[in-house]
Amino acid sequence: MRSDGILGVGGSDQNRATSVVVASRRRWLKRRETWLVVLGVALHAVYMLSIFDIYFKTPIVHGMDLVTPRFSEPPAKRLVLLISDGLRADKFFEPDVDGKYRAPFLRNVIKNQGRWGVSHARPPTESRPGHVAIIAGFYEDPSAVTKGWKANPVEFDSVFNRSRHTFAFGSPDIIPIFCSALPHSTWNSYPHEYEDFATDASFLDEWSFEQFESLLNRSHEDPKLKELLHQDKLVVFLHLLGCDSNGHAHRPYSSIYLNNVKVVDKIAEKVYHLLEDYYRDNRTSYIFTADHGMSDKGSHGDGHPSNTDTPLVAWGAGIKYPKPSSGNSHSDSVTRFVDKHAHDMPTPYDWGLNRVERVDVNQADIAPLMSTLLGLPCPVNSVGNLPLGYMKLNEAEEVEAVLANTKQILNQLLRKSYIKRSNSLFFKPFKPLVHHSSSLSQIDELISAKSYEAAMKLAVDLRNLSLEGLHYFQTYDWLMLMTVITLGYTGWMIVLALHVLQCYSSLSGDLSRKEHLSVQKKNSGKVYLSGGLLMAILSVLNLVEHSPPLYHAYIGMTVFLWTQIFSEYRLIRGLWRYLRERRAGYFIKLLFAAAVSVVIVELLVHSFTERKLYTWFFLIAGVVASILLHFSIPWRSGIPVFVCISCWFLSVFTLMPAEIPDNNNLVVISGAFIIVISLAAKWLDTHAEGNKFWQTITFHESRKPMWSMLYCIQILLVGVSSVMVFLSTKHRTQNQELHSSHQFINWLVAGSSMVLPLFSGNGILSRLSSIFLGFAPPFLLLSIGYEAVFYSALAVVLMAWILFENASHHSSKVKDSSLSEQNTEEHVTIGSDERYLQLSDVRIPLIFLVLFNVAFFGTGNFASIASFEISSVYRFITIFSPFLMAALLIFKLFIPFMLVICAFSAITKLVRLPRLGCYFLVILFSDIMTIHFFFLVKNTGSWMEIGNSISHFGIVSAQVVFVLLLFALTNLYTRSIQVKPLSTSPSLKTL
């Protein structure tokens, strides 16, 4: 029993002093955690940008001299570039089911007039990067997406820039990129409203051709236009969007897409005959290709061959005629392509082109090909190799063309070397090209002596070395940046660990009594001064080297974090002494918890590339959890069986294909499944209040009826959304449009349903079941297949998690009640509603991380750009609107996260844990994954592997920010949740 003091009146003063100390501590803790959260968000935002400085640093430099090929006369006066957006190579070359080929005109060109091959694109296989590679000759910096796809984020050169005049017609998303700021261009694009995914988009291709045909017809009445059209160095560019739009909307194996291939071939034929009749001089070159392909599910973006392999057909002035295939069917010098497909990939037999020589190229090689045909200098930032297998040149002209291509690439290297040398205190040159001048002189001597073969070999070798040198300077700062950012993440994790130990564990009190940590503040000034001086010195060095501003941020944050760590040196020393005094049993528990944590984190890391690991995890977790529950619940119960079955049910989804097949009926049935689950939860919520085990999760301030008005409305909205899934899809399929009334109802149902949970009961089960019903309508309306069932499976597992924690909480209360008051130091509370974290509580943030990642990968591969299924939004919008469509897709992905975080928040209230303390543990485990992925990022291998490894790092790094934002958002739904107060909870000894 507590003493009131020697004089009998000290208790009230002591309580008053204690309350003052607690209030002061809470204010200090709130300020510190606000600072820590702001620092965490800033740190992850800045460090996440480091991948662009390391791997996606812009390759563009300015100030190089132009290099024009030394031809007596260019091979062509004009060039026509036809780009069929989203056209797959196999769908273009293969026959249809009747054995007829879809592109008869271009097939005739391949066999009788020109050259052909496969153009290999580099991920990201999107429209803008693909067009930039074709027209400008370099693989665009993907960070351009952060600056806007609509306008040029950086100034770059292109074939259009070097032409005398460019005529361009096509999509408003592509044509303005190259022509809006080009004075010597004539261009036009159709309105965005024309890009309607509910219709056959082949008319867009016809629109582009009709615009060009109209231009030629006007020239008969416009002398200035006719004079312009008869000049040399002209480029005609027709962007044909139909295949891309039809591939997204109807899939590339649909009759609409395959018919669009025929439309594109017909347009190529009409353009050819139109120009040959107009000019009659045989001085026009024609190039037909695509910017990227299309996956079977109607998307693109990654490095799958269906996205990277595109057709290339060239004919006309300056192009070689077909040759019979030989043992080496690819006559260019490239041995490996940017998508890492081998040099001599066999031509599929069903293409029927095995007897015609095939010349494959990298997509960026098309730019120097076009420039050389017109006698123009290559775009100054091009990294393409001139494909001589396409060009009809004599031996001397071939050497001159390759030499011009080599000098243009070498000029970029020399410019980058000069910039880096002028800004570096300790410059390391690219040693293989230190004596490049002598190599150029030797090539000129060989050309003068007509030793063309030797000159060609030297020029090609010099070009390859120049490309290697460009890569060297592109990754010049790689080692320094990796070291700084690794130290930064490590420092951040140590800061988090020290904060959790100091503020959310009883350890800080023990250390304070033994080490007098308050003295630390007086001695930390020297540490901050030393850190400030080091930061100033490094900043000066960065300024001298003209480093980018982000370099200052990377180094400054790293120095700041380690300064914070060293300022806590007394705490660290006290922690070390505390650990040395512990017994062996303590270390066994600590090592066991660490081992389990490492295994789970490693599981999460590998799950990014192998989704099936989640299946094994939930199969094992179901068995282990049910066994633990069997011994925790002191009576016969079906809860262990329910937990096991729910985990096994969720394990099925990570065995399913990442590409979600369309199944409209399954989405409708899922609506009924959601209603059944909600009915079971509602029955339990209203009939289990008297049961002592359920009272913490079914607690209500006042008794709620089974059939409340709010609950009936939510059930009705789920039913309406299921019906609208069926009606909207059926009408769109039959009439090729989204009915306006259906669209209005879908938006109304989805929007209103998410507001209703705010008015539900404040018990855990009541509120969470209402949130489950509230987000069901928008998720159903955005679903196309089995992911609608996944929504229910995830919710059932979350309920199983809550039951598991509830059982663990009650069993711990039974043990607490049997302990003496002298043996309760592990259960000290922070305040009236929260207790200190214990070692066993680590399971909660770990389980949260697993479920949070399952929400990512349960129904697909979020790390792949091509995993976004655009048809998910067709019940809300079909007119092309990239930002609104992207917003709907992201919102769909966020809905499962909302459920996970709402359940997590409810559990922290149930077991009286500090939510921010658990949040910091989540960040700590996430950053272990982040630093792991940071080391797994690749700069060798295929670009698909490189892109995926970088996206993995970005996802996990951004996950920390996602969790914070979603915590704030879900707090609207969970802040009013109430748990039955401990003081009114009956003893479990009566159970």
Side-chain angles (χ1 to χ4, degrees):
M1 189 172 177
R2 183 183 61 84
S3 171
D4 289 334
I6 295 176
L7 299 178
V9 293
S12 59
D13 293 338
Q14 184 179 352
N15 289 339
R16 194 178 304 112
T18 301
S19 62
V20 171
V21 170
V22 169
S24 176
R25 173 185 169 82
R26 285 181 176 176
R27 290 194 296 270
W28 171 83
L29 189 60
K30 185 176 182 180
R31 289 194 302 270
R32 180 182 175 89
E33 290 185 335
T34 301
W35 168 83
L36 204 57
V37 167
V38 171
L39 176 65
V41 173
L43 178 139
H44 286 89
V46 171
Y47 281 0
M48 193 160 50
L49 293 176
S50 67
I51 62 173
F52 296 108
D53 283 321
I54 297 172
Y55 294 97
F56 294 120
K57 191 175 181 179
T58 177
I60 297 172
V61 289
H62 302 284
M64 292 81 69
D65 295 330
L66 299 174
V67 183
T68 305
R70 294 180 290 195
F71 292 156
S72 56
E73 184 180 16
K77 284 186 67 176
R78 66 198 71 87
L79 181 139
V80 177
L81 175 62
L82 303 171
I83 297 182
S84 179
D85 203 310
L87 177 58
R88 275 169 58 158
D90 57 344
K91 300 302 179 185
F92 175 78
F93 291 117
E94 69 185 16
D96 57 21
V97 291
D98 299 325
K100 297 180 180 180
Y101 292 98
R102 302 184 183 100
F105 169 73
L106 290 171
R107 191 172 187 82
N108 180 66
V109 166
I110 291 171
K111 291 186 173 182
N112 301 298
Q113 289 181 260
R115 306 290 274 167
W116 78 286
V118 171
S119 172
H120 298 270
R122 194 184 83 174
T125 46
E126 303 289 348
S127 292
R128 177 185 169 113
H131 282 85
V132 169
I134 294 169
I135 299 168
F138 70 92
Y139 301 102
E140 190 189 21
D141 179 3
S143 65
V145 72
T146 64
K147 304 172 185 177
W149 290 102
K150 302 290 183 177
N152 291 344
V154 287
E155 293 295 332
F156 61 85
D157 197 13
S158 71
V159 176
F160 296 174
N161 291 11
R162 300 300 156 198
S163 68
R164 191 178 304 277
H165 200 88
T166 295
F167 302 91
F169 304 99
S171 166
D173 297 317
I174 297 299
I175 301 299
I177 291 175
F178 300 95
C179 298
S180 62
L182 192 64
H184 54 277
S185 66
T186 302
W187 61 278
N188 195 11
S189 60
Y190 40 78
H192 279 289
E193 289 74 21
Y194 282 21
E195 300 176 28
D196 189 346
F197 290 122
T199 63
D200 182 353
S202 60
F203 78 95
L204 299 175
D205 301 343
E206 298 285 359
W207 184 95
S208 298
F209 169 73
E210 289 167 1
Q211 290 290 309
F212 177 60
E213 184 181 36
S214 174
L215 178 81
L216 293 184
N217 292 335
R218 289 201 311 272
S219 69
H220 296 301
E221 301 174 359
D222 188 342
K224 290 185 178 181
L225 178 58
K226 189 168 187 177
E227 180 184 358
L228 178 62
L229 285 167
H230 280 82
Q231 293 183 6
D232 62 351
K233 297 179 173 55
L234 297 183
V235 176
V236 176
F237 171 41
L238 297 187
H239 176 247
L240 311 175
L241 185 64
C243 284
D244 185 73
S245 296
N246 284 329
H248 285 311
H250 308 289
R251 310 294 187 272
Y253 47 79
S254 65
S255 59
I256 293 178
Y257 179 92
L258 299 177
N259 182 69
N260 207 143
V261 179
K262 300 177 182 179
V263 172
V264 166
D265 178 73
K266 200 69 179 175
I267 289 175
E269 182 180 13
K270 290 191 287 187
V271 168
Y272 171 71
H273 291 303
L274 185 67
L275 287 174
E276 292 304 305
D277 292 341
Y278 186 86
Y279 288 109
R280 301 179 183 277
D281 60 0
N282 295 321
R283 296 296 308 283
T284 307
S285 297
Y286 301 87
I287 292 179
F288 174 88
T289 187
D291 56 346
H292 56 75
M294 184 72 61
S295 71
D296 286 341
K297 66 173 185 175
S299 61
H300 52 81
D302 62 19
H304 191 275
S306 62
N307 289 326
T308 61
D309 290 358
T310 60
L312 175 62
V313 182
W315 74 101
I319 303 295
K320 288 180 179 178
Y321 283 99
K323 287 174 58 179
S325 62
S326 58
N328 180 14
S329 62
H330 305 292
S331 62
D332 63 348
S333 60
V334 179
T335 58
R336 185 68 66 169
F337 298 100
V338 290
D339 55 3
K340 288 299 175 183
H341 294 180
H343 173 61
D344 283 320
M345 292 291 287
T347 301
Y349 180 78
D350 62 348
W351 289 8
L353 297 171
N354 300 78
R355 297 183 180 180
V356 184
E357 186 179 62
R358 164 183 164 185
V359 184
D360 284 11
V361 300
N362 286 322
Q363 197 172 62
D365 299 343
I366 298 174
L369 172 62
M370 294 191 293
S371 297
T372 306
L373 286 170
L374 293 173
L376 299 170
C378 288
V380 294
N381 299 114
S382 171
V383 295
N385 294 322
L386 178 65
L388 290 176
Y390 281 83
M391 298 203 65
K392 185 167 60 178
L393 300 171
N394 60 42
E395 199 173 12
E397 290 173 334
E398 283 186 347
V399 176
E400 290 291 352
V402 172
L403 181 58
N405 183 209
T406 299
K407 287 181 177 179
Q408 171 263 318
I409 296 174
L410 179 62
N411 284 346
Q412 294 182 71
L413 169 70
L414 297 176
R415 182 61 180 169
K416 288 190 174 186
S417 177
Y418 171 78
I419 293 171
K420 184 55 69 175
R421 181 188 291 109
S422 61
N423 294 329
S424 297
L425 295 175
F426 311 100
F427 176 70
K428 295 179 181 179
F430 183 63
K431 293 181 180 179
L433 287 179
V434 171
H435 304 293
H436 65 277
S437 300
S438 60
S439 299
L440 290 173
S441 300
Q442 189 178 358
I443 293 171
D444 286 334
E445 291 173 3
L446 290 170
I447 292 174
S448 300
K450 297 187 178 180
S451 299
Y452 298 124
E453 186 176 349
M456 177 68 77
K457 184 178 184 307
L458 278 177
V460 170
D461 290 344
L462 183 59
R463 181 177 64 186
N464 292 338
L465 283 175
S466 299
L467 289 171
E468 290 179 19
L470 287 177
H471 176 74
Y472 171 79
F473 285 110
Q474 192 73 13
T475 59
Y476 189 86
D477 296 326
W478 185 83
L479 181 60
M480 181 273 290
L481 288 174
M482 288 286 284
T483 303
V484 168
I485 290 164
T486 300
L487 287 173
Y489 274 118
T490 305
W492 166 248
M493 288 187 288
I494 294 173
V495 167
L496 281 183
L498 292 176
H499 173 73
V500 171
L501 288 174
Q502 191 174 8
C503 300
Y504 292 108
S505 74
S506 58
L507 187 64
S508 61
D510 297 336
L511 295 180
S512 296
R513 288 189 295 271
K514 294 179 182 180
E515 297 291 333
H516 303 289
L517 295 182
S518 58
V519 183
Q520 180 177 334
K521 296 181 180 179
K522 300 178 182 178
N523 298 325
S524 61
K526 295 179 181 179
V527 177
Y528 286 117
L529 179 61
S530 301
L533 287 174
L534 178 61
M535 192 182 300
I537 293 170
L538 294 175
S539 296
V540 170
L541 289 176
N542 278 325
L543 287 171
V544 171
E545 293 196 347
H546 300 282
S547 299
L550 281 175
Y551 283 31
H552 295 265
Y554 303 148
I555 295 173
M557 281 193 169
T558 300
V559 173
F560 176 77
L561 287 168
W562 282 95
T563 302
Q564 287 293 119
I565 293 170
F566 286 117
S567 70
E568 301 282 354
Y569 68 95
R570 288 186 180 273
L571 174 63
I572 297 171
R573 187 178 63 182
L575 180 62
W576 172 249
R577 290 180 178 176
Y578 177 84
L579 290 174
R580 288 177 62 184
E581 296 171 0
R582 298 297 96 186
R583 296 180 179 179
Y586 180 84
F587 287 101
I588 292 173
K589 291 180 181 179
L590 193 63
L591 289 175
F592 178 76
V596 172
S597 300
V598 168
V599 168
I600 292 177
V601 169
E602 286 299 310
L603 168 76
L604 292 174
V605 169
H606 288 90
S607 69
F608 276 63
T609 53
E610 188 58 55
R611 293 169 60 237
K612 293 179 182 178
L613 288 174
Y614 286 116
T615 298
W616 289 106
F617 176 85
F618 281 104
L619 288 175
I620 296 171
V623 174
V624 173
S626 60
I627 292 173
L628 292 175
L629 284 172
H630 177 74
F631 292 104
S632 298
I633 300 176
W635 68 86
R636 296 185 63 183
S637 172
I639 294 176
V641 177
F642 168 76
V643 170
C644 185
I645 292 175
S646 63
C647 288
W648 286 6
F649 182 36
L650 187 63
S651 71
V652 174
F653 290 90
T654 46
L655 294 175
M656 294 183 177
E659 297 183 359
I660 302 173
D662 290 353
N663 192 331
N664 195 50
N665 293 330
L666 187 59
V667 179
V668 175
I669 293 171
S670 298
F673 191 34
I674 289 170
I675 292 174
V676 171
I677 293 173
S678 67
L679 285 171
K682 186 65 176 178
W683 184 90
L684 186 63
D685 190 35
T686 53
H687 291 81
E689 277 195 73
N691 189 305
K692 299 184 179 76
F693 178 80
W694 297 98
Q695 59 190 356
T696 50
I697 63 174
T698 60
F699 172 71
H700 296 292
E701 291 181 341
S702 60
R703 185 170 181 81
K704 300 290 182 181
M706 174 71 181
W707 297 101
S708 65
M709 179 64 71
L710 177 66
Y711 178 71
C712 293
I713 293 174
Q714 288 191 294
I715 291 290
L716 178 64
L717 290 178
V718 173
V720 169
S721 63
S722 299
V723 173
M724 292 309 301
V725 165
F726 175 77
L727 293 179
S728 299
T729 306
K730 182 179 179 181
H731 185 273
R732 184 176 59 83
T733 303
Q734 292 178 348
N735 301 288
Q736 301 295 308
E737 66 175 359
L738 176 62
H739 199 284
S740 58
S741 63
H742 292 171
Q743 186 179 25
F744 174 77
I745 293 173
N746 292 343
W747 279 103
L748 180 64
V749 169
S752 60
S753 65
M754 294 183 291
V755 180
L756 297 179
L758 298 173
F759 305 99
S760 62
N762 52 14
I764 289 180
L765 186 58
S766 177
R767 178 56 60 91
L768 291 183
S769 60
S770 182
I771 293 171
F772 169 65
L773 285 174
F775 285 100
F779 195 83
L780 288 174
L781 291 168
L782 288 167
S783 297
I784 62 169
Y786 72 79
E787 79 270 35
V789 185
F790 171 79
Y791 178 80
S792 297
L794 180 64
V796 170
V797 166
L798 292 174
M799 186 62 212
W801 184 24
I802 292 172
L803 293 177
F804 178 85
E805 295 298 340
N806 188 41
S808 176
H809 177 57
H810 278 281
S811 64
S812 67
K813 285 166 64 180
V814 171
K815 294 177 182 178
D816 291 351
S817 63
S818 64
L819 294 175
S820 63
E821 292 186 7
Q822 288 80 18
N823 193 30
T824 58
E825 70 175 49
E826 287 194 1
H827 301 274
V828 180
T829 59
I830 300 173
S832 58
D833 300 324
E834 296 174 345
R835 63 175 174 82
Y836 279 128
L837 288 169
Q838 303 168 30
L839 191 58
S840 61
D841 293 326
V842 170
R843 73 180 184 278
I844 294 177
L846 283 173
I847 294 173
F848 169 79
L849 267 181
V850 172
L851 292 171
F852 194 81
N853 281 274
V854 166
F856 267 116
F857 298 104
T859 59
N861 180 15
F862 185 83
S864 172
I865 300 172
S867 67
F868 294 98
E869 183 54 66
I870 197 170
S871 61
S872 299
V873 306
Y874 288 168
R875 298 187 189 101
F876 291 95
I877 183 173
T878 57
I879 303 298
F880 182 69
S881 176
F883 293 107
L884 180 57
M885 288 179 165
L888 288 170
L889 286 171
I890 292 172
F891 174 68
K892 176 188 174 183
L893 291 170
F894 274 16
I895 289 176
F897 303 154
M898 300 281 283
L899 293 185
V900 174
I901 293 180
C902 286
F904 176 73
S905 299
I907 286 172
T908 57
K909 291 195 174 188
L910 175 67
V911 298
R912 302 177 62 219
L913 287 181
R915 192 168 71 150
L916 269 177
C918 292
Y919 168 70
F920 288 127
L921 287 177
V922 168
I923 292 180
L924 181 61
F925 290 124
S926 294
D927 283 333
I928 295 174
M929 296 171 59
T930 302
I931 201 169
H932 195 140
F933 279 122
F934 195 69
F935 283 111
L936 290 177
V937 171
K938 298 179 181 179
N939 66 343
T940 57
S942 72
W943 270 101
M944 179 179 180
E945 293 170 341
I946 294 172
N948 280 344
S949 65
I950 293 174
S951 66
H952 292 162
F953 165 71
I955 287 170
V956 179
S957 186
Q959 184 170 287
V960 175
V961 182
F962 288 160
V963 172
L964 179 65
L965 295 176
L966 290 174
F967 261 116
L969 184 60
T970 55
N971 191 50
L972 295 172
Y973 294 98
T974 59
R975 64 186 175 188
S976 61
I977 289 179
Q978 293 185 8
V979 180
K980 191 175 184 62
L982 289 177
S983 59
T984 60
S985 296
S987 174
L988 287 180
K989 292 180 180 178
T990 59
L991 288 176

